Amino acid sequence: GVIEQLKTRHYDILHKRYIQKLDYYQIAEIYDKSYTNTTSLHGRALVELEKLINKLGIEVWHGVKKQYEVWIISTIQMG
């Protein structure tokens, strides 16, 4: 699928956040990282996913977090 083409760490954080519904504090604990480091990694993962989707020519929504959540879940399901 599309999302599996991301770096493992980027895939993993998006999966934990949007599929497993973990919050940033829980993810930070799993990674043994700070909250700030975790949110930065999440942001980089979204940017990389957007680049990948744009490269593949798939329509992408921009905007608020909720739209990203729908976008990520639908991307995973399109696989």
Side-chain angles (χ1 to χ4, degrees), residues 8-9 17 25-27 32 43 45 47 49 61 63-64 66-67 71 77:
T8 302
R9 193 62 165 249
R17 182 72 183 109
Y25 292 103
Q26 293 169 308
I27 297 168
D32 194 27
V47 168
L49 180 58
W61 289 346
V64 298
K66 198 63 171 173
Q67 289 175 315
W71 166 46
Q77 292 172 345

Side-chain angles (χ1 to χ4, degrees), residues 35-50:
Y35 173 89
T36 302
N37 181 279
T38 302
T39 58
S40 293
L41 175 62
H42 175 263
R44 288 191 303 274
L46 288 177
V47 168
E48 291 305 312
L49 180 58
E50 184 174 10

Side-chain angles (χ1 to χ4, degrees), residues 2-26:
V2 173
I3 199 165
E4 288 84 7
Q5 295 177 42
L6 290 172
K7 292 179 184 176
T8 302
R9 193 62 165 249
H10 288 163
Y11 171 86
D12 191 53
I13 196 167
L14 294 177
H15 192 274
K16 283 178 175 27
R17 182 72 183 109
Y18 297 105
I19 302 303
Q20 297 176 13
K21 300 290 188 190
L22 300 179
D23 65 31
Y24 294 115
Y25 292 103
Q26 293 169 308

